[in-house]
Amino acid sequence: MTLQEIAKRASVSTATVSRTINGAPTVDPTLARRVRKVIEAVGYYPNTHARALVSGRSRILGLMVSETVEPFFPQILQTFENLSFEHNYEILLSSISRERRQMEAAVRRMIECRVEGLAVLSSEKETALIELFRGQTLPIAVLDHEPPGPLLKTVSIDYKHGVREAVQHLAALGHARIALITGPARLKTAAARTIAFQECMKEIDLEIPRDLLVEGGHTLESGMKALSVIAALPERPSAVLCSNDMTAIGVMRRAFELGLNVPRDLSVVGFDDNHLAQFATPPLTTVQVSYVDIANAAFKALLKSVEDRSNESSREVSAIQSNLVLRRSTTLTARRVNDGATVKRAYKQAAAVREPKSDSESRSSGGL
Amino acid sequence: MTLQEIAKRASVSTATVSRTINGAPTVDPTLARRVRKVIEAVGYYPNTHARALVSGRSRILGLMVSETVEPFFPQILQTFENLSFEHNYEILLSSISRERRQMEAAVRRMIECRVEGLAVLSSEKETALIELFRGQTLPIAVLDHEPPGPLLKTVSIDYKHGVREAVQHLAALGHARIALITGPARLKTAAARTIAFQECMKEIDLEIPRDLLVEGGHTLESGMKALSVIAALPERPSAVLCSNDMTAIGVMRRAFELGLNVPRDLSVVGFDDNHLAQFATPPLTTVQVSYVDIANAAFKALLKSVEDRSNESSREVSAIQSNLVLRRSTTLTARRVNDGATVKRAYKQAAAVREPKSDSESRSSGGL
DNA sequence: ATGAAAGCGCTAACAG
DNA sequence: CTGTTAGCGCTTTCAT
């Protein structure tokens, strides 16, 4: 069934049918009704490919993410889905492979499908990826990318806010020796977390001895290993901040094995607030990063870029905030434990303390 | 840049360019090389929309799932992604909304994009959904659907295998009173699990008193509530099988609160083997359902249906097996606890015991 | 083996 | 306000 056929049956021109379908205001209500009736009757659905071809607009947005098997991925996808739906776009999904050939193939698909905009939500490989789109006049939204170009919209994550809350929360509980278990060095987001930690510690004049900066790998195992290292230290820290939740879970598991009670003997803070965090034992205090907000910002930036054709030069930057979510894996240090009021005060000091927006939608492990 | 332009620059006809691109065998190698050179030089990418329009083949497969925010979803999507990539299809994703209007809109999108096949991987609403595709001559792959039609490929999940392993494993450990916490009644997959349990219990002549069949809702809270009910029973069961992992986690949490030790006082078995299962305390013994296998079967069925145009009548049924995964949430009953050898023997009796294929890719909560 | 030409289904001038 | 018409970029006979 084609538009032509509808035109014939409704005894109007194809133009009128087209106008009716697209809700053009200049079409006689009587005719419009007649057309719609025929469309309804025969079960006609316009062909998007023909439409895309002639209009030059595919109404498809590309979404490239590191791994669909990542904890935050569902939230990102769901958000994109909803927004696309709302704005009448389709989304073309692709995972960013480590292999060059696969990456090129993915890029090819995006281009061949004539996506009108692209969101790259990954913490590695984005630079190489974006490079492959050189010369495509395609708006791209990406996390914290330098240098931004005219078509490059940037979504930046403010790790510092949440980390500051975490550090000050711990300090208020009496912790002075706070360790950090980092993520893999190659992830720029992990690096950003480390820097945020260092800066926030400095803000309140806390030192970070070399041996309290332990490299992790954002995995359960790396967290376990890191805690073994930390536990063997001559002067053990009383709290540890982890670069993601999975690491924190590993830390808690190893702590348990070593007979260390969390939080009594060791306060643990995670990062991301994925699904596991709230179900951990004890439930994990963590720096929440809202992937919904991130996806939202990326989509909006893209949409704006696609709909306007003018503002090509305004390289937008949308900043997403992180926040501490208080649960049960942190508490007073031993020397403060007798001071009953202190714990309450400390909890209050963690300014933006709140449960995440949609706890039940959170997911596990990883982080962008 | 268009195919025409390439033809001009390579001084050949558009037909030759088309043939070259599509790897037709009847094109002179010299010409082909010349064409490819131009294509490479100018960075030409064929337009899939034009291609789809003229060829009548979109090379798009639809995938509809209940909620992208579901634990098993990433595995399904990833599997589809990989396979699509491999076979040069794109996938059009849509979540199955509870609202009628949204559902219709999703169906419309699928049809307008001219998807060549559709996988519906959901445990509710599929019948209504499929109904909306009536008269579309579109191959559809769906979970256990009755009645199967000529274009309806069915993927069925054999819950009984895994449940049998679970029940016999528990029986071997000395458990005679085994409770079941069901899922929501509206989910046909949950109902199937319940039936499998009843049948497997009957197989080994174990009774299921009315009060050992407790309705749950596949949520943490429902698991907690269900255990409260069970714990209050005059004659408490020594083991409980849950309709999904989330329920089992809730059971374990409430058990902990009630001072019941899992597995010593109560053996707990989950269902699905999602991400949480292995990280639970204690790690959860569970009936694993491989969503990778399910997605794989659905895709393959679809592909076959799309590529052949003949076998429209062969309504395939691919059966996916479930298996028990042994972890630490089950053990001997009190009366057997003194018999040292028994536990080993029991573990051996659970025939197909093994760790899941890719533990680290599993996800949390829910179940199809 | 290659080219010329006819559309695929739709939109958007343009003319009326 | 409506209709006519010219393509959008590609594949595919059908000749040659």
Side-chain angles (χ1 to χ4, degrees):
Chain A
M1 195 45 66
T2 72
L3 184 145
Q4 282 223 43
E5 186 67 19
I6 303 295
K8 195 185 297 173
R9 301 205 188 191
S11 314
V12 295
S13 69
T14 60
T16 299
V17 178
S18 177
R19 288 186 189 112
T20 305
I21 290 172
N22 298 305
T26 67
V27 57
D28 185 297
T30 318
L31 282 195
R33 214 174 307 120
R34 203 163 78 209
V35 170
R36 271 194 280 272
K37 217 164 178 174
V38 176
I39 288 178
E40 176 76 16
V42 303
Y44 163 76
Y45 294 89
N47 183 323
T48 55
H49 303 291
R51 209 197 286 247
L53 185 57
V54 64
S55 70
R57 299 215 36 194
S58 65
R59 297 202 77 83
I60 301 179
L61 258 23
L63 174 59
M64 303 189 81
V65 293
S66 355
E67 283 294 322
T68 54
V69 184
E70 282 281 4
F72 48 81
F73 167 72
Q75 297 181 59
I76 287 183
L77 182 61
Q78 183 69 58
T79 306
F80 252 77
E81 253 268 301
N82 294 156
L83 290 169
S84 309
F85 195 90
E86 204 173 295
H87 295 271
N88 264 288
Y89 280 83
E90 303 301 336
I91 98 137
L92 179 57
L93 181 71
S94 183
S95 48
I96 300 172
S97 167
R98 51 270 107 211
E99 291 172 51
R100 180 78 187 185
R101 281 190 51 77
Q102 295 230 351
M103 215 155 114
E104 281 169 359
V107 169
R108 170 179 307 280
R109 294 199 312 166
M110 292 286 163
I111 298 175
E112 291 189 349
C113 286
R114 301 295 190 265
V115 297
E116 298 187 49
L118 176 69
V120 179
L121 267 19
S122 160
S123 41
E124 51 177 335
K125 302 256 182 61
E126 352 74 54
T127 304
L129 187 61
I130 288 169
E131 193 55 36
L132 290 173
F133 283 97
R134 164 183 299 288
Q136 287 296 322
T137 43
L138 180 73
I140 300 183
V142 63
L143 294 178
D144 274 321
H145 198 267
E146 297 296 343
L151 285 164
L152 260 200
K153 308 298 174 185
T154 269
V155 175
S156 81
I157 305 174
D158 176 15
Y159 291 124
K160 221 172 153 183
H161 186 268
V163 171
R164 182 181 292 120
E165 289 181 343
V167 167
Q168 296 190 359
H169 165 62
L170 290 173
L173 291 170
H175 299 278
R177 290 182 58 78
I178 305 175
L180 174 74
I181 302 177
T182 72
R186 70 174 195 287
L187 298 186
K188 70 175 181 187
T189 47
R193 291 169 185 201
T194 301
I195 290 171
F197 174 70
Q198 291 168 324
E199 291 178 350
C200 291
M201 288 289 276
K202 196 167 197 174
E203 284 178 2
I204 55 171
D205 293 319
L206 284 182
E207 286 192 29
I208 317 174
R210 217 7 175 326
D211 53 4
L212 289 193
L213 224 62
V214 183
E215 178 161 350
H218 277 187
T219 64
L220 184 84
E221 292 71 26
S222 75
M224 295 176 70
K225 217 162 89 181
L227 185 65
S228 293
V229 171
I230 288 172
L233 253 33
E235 208 181 344
R236 222 156 58 194
S238 59
V240 53
L241 173 66
C242 305
S243 187
N244 81 339
D245 290 333
M246 205 61 196
T247 305
I249 305 238
V251 163
M252 296 204 292
R253 178 172 288 194
R254 177 55 46 89
F256 180 76
E257 292 170 3
L258 297 175
L260 290 170
N261 178 295
V262 173
R264 210 188 52 226
D265 304 323
L266 181 73
S267 285
V268 178
V269 179
F271 221 117
D272 285 338
D273 192 30
N274 69 34
H275 204 210
L276 289 178
Q278 50 179 319
F279 299 118
T281 20
L284 186 65
T285 291
T286 192
V287 177
Q288 181 194 47
V289 178
S290 167
Y291 293 101
V292 169
D293 290 351
I294 291 171
N296 204 55
F299 187 93
K300 290 289 170 56
L302 233 41
L303 193 67
K304 192 172 171 190
S305 211
V306 171
E307 312 267 82
D308 300 14
R309 13 197 333 87
S310 52
N311 74 331
E312 306 242 11
S313 53
S314 83
R315 39 175 143 88
E316 209 99 349
V317 175
S318 15
I320 304 303
Q321 204 185 258
S322 59
N323 296 289
L324 185 66
V325 175
L326 235 42
R327 297 214 179 83
R328 311 244 63 98
S329 64
T330 49
T331 194
L332 290 176
T333 51
R335 34 186 200 91
R336 288 226 186 175
V337 82
N338 293 322
D339 176 3
T342 308
V343 74
K344 277 195 176 172
R345 210 183 314 134
Y347 267 63
K348 274 191 185 155
Q349 288 191 19
V353 166
R354 55 177 177 77
E355 273 293 303
K357 293 169 184 178
S358 57
D359 224 3
S360 63
E361 287 188 15
S362 301
R363 275 271 154 340
S364 62
S365 162
L368 271 185
Chain B
M1 194 46 66
T2 71
L3 184 143
Q4 282 225 42
E5 186 67 18
I6 302 296
K8 194 185 297 172
R9 301 206 188 190
S11 312
V12 295
S13 70
T14 60
T16 300
V17 177
S18 177
R19 288 186 189 112
T20 304
I21 289 171
N22 297 307
T26 69
V27 58
D28 185 296
T30 318
L31 281 194
R33 214 175 307 119
R34 202 162 81 210
V35 170
R36 270 194 281 269
K37 216 162 178 175
V38 175
I39 287 178
E40 175 77 15
V42 304
Y44 164 76
Y45 294 89
N47 183 322
T48 54
H49 303 291
R51 207 195 285 244
L53 185 57
V54 64
S55 70
R57 300 216 34 197
S58 66
R59 298 201 76 82
I60 302 178
L61 257 24
L63 174 59
M64 303 189 81
V65 294
S66 357
E67 283 293 323
T68 54
V69 185
E70 282 281 3
F72 48 82
F73 167 71
Q75 298 181 59
I76 288 183
L77 183 60
Q78 183 69 58
T79 306
F80 252 77
E81 252 268 301
N82 294 157
L83 289 169
S84 308
F85 195 89
E86 205 174 296
H87 294 271
N88 263 289
Y89 280 83
E90 303 302 336
I91 98 137
L92 179 57
L93 181 71
S94 183
S95 48
I96 300 173
S97 168
R98 50 270 105 211
E99 292 172 48
R100 179 80 188 181
R101 282 190 50 76
Q102 296 231 351
M103 215 156 113
E104 281 170 0
V107 169
R108 172 180 306 281
R109 294 200 311 166
M110 293 286 162
I111 298 175
E112 291 188 351
C113 285
R114 300 297 190 264
V115 298
E116 298 186 47
L118 175 69
V120 179
L121 267 20
S122 160
S123 41
E124 51 177 334
K125 303 256 179 62
E126 351 74 54
T127 304
L129 187 60
I130 289 169
E131 193 55 37
L132 290 173
F133 284 97
R134 165 182 299 289
Q136 289 296 322
T137 44
L138 180 71
I140 301 184
V142 63
L143 294 178
D144 273 322
H145 198 265
E146 298 296 344
L151 285 164
L152 261 200
K153 308 298 173 186
T154 268
V155 175
S156 81
I157 305 174
D158 176 15
Y159 291 124
K160 221 172 155 183
H161 186 267
V163 171
R164 183 181 292 120
E165 289 181 343
V167 167
Q168 295 191 359
H169 164 63
L170 290 172
L173 290 170
H175 299 278
R177 289 181 60 78
I178 305 175
L180 173 73
I181 303 177
T182 72
R186 72 174 194 286
L187 299 185
K188 70 174 179 187
T189 47
R193 291 169 186 200
T194 299
I195 290 171
F197 174 71
Q198 292 168 323
E199 291 178 350
C200 292
M201 288 288 278
K202 197 169 199 175
E203 282 178 3
I204 56 174
D205 293 320
L206 284 182
E207 287 194 27
I208 317 174
R210 213 18 175 316
D211 53 4
L212 289 193
L213 223 61
V214 182
E215 178 160 352
H218 278 188
T219 64
L220 184 83
E221 292 70 26
S222 75
M224 295 176 69
K225 216 161 90 183
L227 186 64
S228 292
V229 172
I230 289 172
L233 252 33
E235 208 183 343
R236 224 157 56 193
S238 59
V240 53
L241 173 66
C242 305
S243 186
N244 82 339
D245 290 332
M246 205 61 196
T247 305
I249 306 241
V251 164
M252 296 204 292
R253 179 171 288 195
R254 178 54 49 88
F256 179 77
E257 293 171 2
L258 298 176
L260 290 169
N261 180 294
V262 173
R264 209 188 53 226
D265 304 323
L266 182 73
S267 285
V268 178
V269 179
F271 221 118
D272 285 339
D273 191 30
N274 70 33
H275 204 210
L276 289 178
Q278 52 179 319
F279 299 117
T281 17
L284 186 65
T285 291
T286 192
V287 177
Q288 182 194 46
V289 178
S290 168
Y291 294 101
V292 168
D293 290 351
I294 291 171
N296 204 56
F299 187 93
K300 291 289 168 57
L302 234 41
L303 194 67
K304 192 172 170 190
S305 210
V306 172
E307 312 267 82
D308 300 15
R309 16 198 331 87
S310 53
N311 74 331
E312 304 242 12
S313 54
S314 83
R315 38 175 143 89
E316 209 97 351
V317 175
S318 14
I320 305 304
Q321 204 185 259
S322 59
N323 295 289
L324 185 66
V325 174
L326 235 43
R327 295 213 180 85
R328 311 244 63 99
S329 63
T330 50
T331 193
L332 289 175
T333 51
R335 35 186 199 90
R336 288 225 185 175
V337 81
N338 294 322
D339 174 4
T342 308
V343 73
K344 277 195 178 170
R345 211 182 316 133
Y347 267 63
K348 274 189 185 157
Q349 287 191 21
V353 166
R354 55 174 178 77
E355 273 293 304
K357 291 168 186 178
S358 56
D359 224 3
S360 63
E361 287 190 12
S362 301
R363 274 274 152 341
S364 63
S365 160
L368 270 183

